[in-house]
Amino acid sequence: EAIVTSEELGQDLEHVEVLQKKFEEFQTDLAAHEERVNEVNQFAGKLIQEQHPEEELIKSKQDEVNASWQRLKGLALQRQGKLFGAAEVQRFNRDVDETISWIKEKGQLMASDDFGRDLASVQALLRKHEGLERDLAALEDKVKALCAEADRLQQSHPINASQIQVKREELIANWEQIRTLAAERHARLNDSYRLQRFLADFRDLTSWVTEMKALINADELANDVAGAEALLDRHQEHKGEIDAHEDSFKSADESGQGLLAAGHYASDEVKEKLTVLSDERSALLELWELRRQQYEQCMDLQLFYRDTEQVDNWMSKQEAFLLNEDLGDSLDSVEALLKKHEDFEKSLSAQEEKIT
């Protein structure tokens, strides 16, 4: 009877399970004694049937044994129910403690001040955080189930209601805190991603500008018309590539302006990079225009040299014609020479237009 009337219900789930195991051993022992009680009843019945002279005493003892037996079984059922209830409450406490422990472990990860140093590291951190958020989404069902279990236990175990409510509130507080941490970290990582995306675009564009400047400055001025034409064609190709990058410059500028408009924590750095990007683009366009003018001047010069050379060659040939002392020895030959001289004068007029 001392076992079934014990008020000890355990301090935690392991302790309750130990008590349950001991009680199961007691129940096994109790079941073994039931046959003994049945034997006592059978023997008492036999004695009474045989009209034993101590019949009244026998009946009294039989009733006393049966009452004690029923009382013991009733107390055993009560003890079993109490231990079962204690196990439910302690199991709830354990599940809540484990959930809170997991939440705090993940909370330490989300409290990190590492938001990435470049685009690749930020993307890796975002992927990791999205994995944590998926874990949280899965945990939400467990939190809801534990809250529902708390409500049920408070109804079925009113004596433990206040302690269960404390656990419930502790769970909800930790759950709300980690959800807030997760949202804040996601927002900070997104801010970091937008910044690193802008900085990566900035580096790509400024590096490309440097390469383009080197290409534009690489060509020497031509020494003939064909070379000058090739230079102008190649220079125009560079302009096509510059024009093709206009959308990239525009996109980078819009990204930077968006960061400034949002009051990004790195606004000063973004503003500086936007200025550098604009200056680099302007300098590239100015360089291209300067070289275009130089190439066109080179083309004009080479055309002049070519035309001058052609005129010199023509005059050298014509000088030999003029120095010819043949004046003809007949009317036909003289008329032929006159015709040649007229052709020369026409050619001279045409060359004169070129020279002037």
Side-chain angles (χ1 to χ4, degrees):
E1 191 168 318
I3 294 174
V4 294
T5 56
S6 171
E7 294 298 325
E8 185 180 18
L9 296 175
Q11 301 301 315
D12 53 39
L13 184 60
E14 287 184 2
H15 191 189
V16 175
E17 288 175 344
V18 168
L19 292 175
Q20 283 182 314
K21 185 170 179 56
K22 287 182 178 179
F23 187 72
E24 286 170 1
E25 293 172 356
F26 163 76
Q27 285 181 309
T28 301
D29 188 46
L30 188 67
H33 280 76
E34 188 165 11
E35 182 64 28
R36 176 63 178 154
V37 172
N38 289 336
E39 289 175 358
V40 169
N41 278 320
Q42 289 174 2
F43 189 60
K46 180 181 178 185
L47 290 174
I48 292 170
Q49 190 176 9
E50 293 175 352
Q51 297 180 343
H52 193 281
E54 299 292 335
E55 180 179 344
E56 291 301 321
L57 179 60
I58 292 170
K59 283 183 178 180
S60 174
K61 286 293 184 183
Q62 183 184 18
D63 290 342
E64 184 180 335
V65 168
N66 285 331
S68 295
W69 178 248
Q70 292 302 322
R71 180 174 180 275
L72 184 62
K73 287 176 69 176
L75 289 172
L77 282 174
Q78 290 179 18
R79 176 66 176 167
Q80 185 180 31
K82 288 180 180 179
L83 286 173
F84 178 78
E88 281 191 316
V89 172
Q90 293 299 342
R91 190 172 292 109
F92 166 78
N93 289 339
R94 181 202 62 186
D95 290 347
V96 169
D97 288 341
E98 288 179 351
T99 303
I100 290 174
S101 176
W102 185 92
I103 288 173
K104 287 182 176 179
E105 178 186 339
K106 302 304 178 184
Q108 290 178 349
L109 296 175
M110 293 186 184
S112 169
D113 58 359
D114 180 11
F115 300 106
R117 300 170 305 282
D118 51 39
L119 189 60
S121 61
V122 174
Q123 289 173 324
L125 287 172
L126 269 171
R127 286 193 295 272
K128 183 178 180 181
H129 186 74
E130 286 164 359
L132 289 174
E133 287 183 322
R134 286 192 292 273
D135 291 343
L136 284 183
L139 184 68
E140 186 172 9
D141 290 339
K142 184 174 183 180
V143 172
K144 288 179 179 178
L146 285 172
C147 287
E149 178 70 357
D151 294 338
R152 185 187 72 80
L153 291 174
Q154 283 178 298
Q155 294 292 324
S156 60
H157 303 288
I159 193 171
N160 300 112
S162 60
Q163 180 267 323
I164 293 170
Q165 182 62 20
V166 168
K167 278 290 182 186
R168 184 179 189 276
E169 290 174 356
E170 184 183 0
L171 173 63
I172 291 173
N174 278 274
W175 173 245
E176 293 298 334
Q177 182 182 23
I178 198 168
R179 287 180 64 188
T180 301
L181 275 175
E184 289 175 350
R185 180 160 178 79
H186 203 154
R188 287 295 301 274
L189 285 172
N190 279 335
D191 285 345
S192 180
Y193 173 78
R194 291 172 63 200
L195 174 64
Q196 295 301 335
R197 175 76 270 173
F198 167 76
L199 292 177
D201 291 343
F202 168 82
R203 287 190 293 269
D204 289 345
L205 285 171
T206 51
S207 175
W208 173 81
V209 167
T210 301
E211 291 174 3
M212 283 305 299
K213 285 180 177 178
L215 280 175
I216 291 171
N217 280 320
D219 291 322
E220 297 290 338
L221 295 179
N223 295 316
D224 53 42
V225 173
E229 288 176 343
L231 278 178
L232 281 170
D233 289 342
R234 190 155 54 248
H235 195 60
Q236 196 58 42
E237 289 174 2
H238 294 332
K239 185 60 165 62
E241 189 172 350
I242 292 171
D243 291 342
H245 277 74
E246 275 302 302
D247 286 344
S248 297
F249 278 99
K250 184 179 179 182
S251 177
D253 184 71
E254 288 175 351
S255 297
Q257 295 298 339
L259 291 171
L260 294 180
H264 196 278
Y265 62 85
S267 290
D268 290 342
E269 182 182 4
V270 171
K271 192 180 297 183
E272 177 191 345
K273 300 297 186 190
L274 283 173
T275 300
V276 170
L277 200 59
S278 177
D279 291 346
E280 286 291 305
R281 177 179 171 277
S282 297
L284 177 61
L285 290 173
E286 289 172 5
L287 175 63
W288 185 88
E289 179 60 24
L290 175 63
R291 293 296 280 178
R292 184 192 65 80
Q293 293 174 8
Q294 290 175 344
Y295 291 151
E296 287 188 350
Q297 289 171 355
C298 177
M299 181 68 173
D300 291 341
L301 181 61
Q302 294 305 322
L303 285 171
F304 171 74
Y305 285 157
R306 185 192 66 182
D307 292 345
T308 301
E309 185 178 357
Q310 288 175 351
V311 171
D312 282 344
N313 290 336
W314 179 84
M315 286 192 295
S316 295
K317 291 178 182 178
Q318 297 308 317
E319 188 175 351
F321 169 73
L322 293 173
L323 292 175
N324 189 350
E325 294 182 357
D326 182 12
L327 299 177
D329 54 5
S330 64
L331 181 61
D332 289 341
S333 62
V334 171
E335 287 177 348
L337 289 172
L338 282 170
K339 181 69 172 65
K340 286 183 179 180
H341 194 77
E342 288 172 1
D343 292 341
F344 162 75
E345 287 180 335
K346 290 178 182 179
S347 179
L348 181 62
S349 296
Q351 293 296 329
E352 186 174 6
E353 289 178 5
K354 277 188 180 181
I355 295 171
T356 58

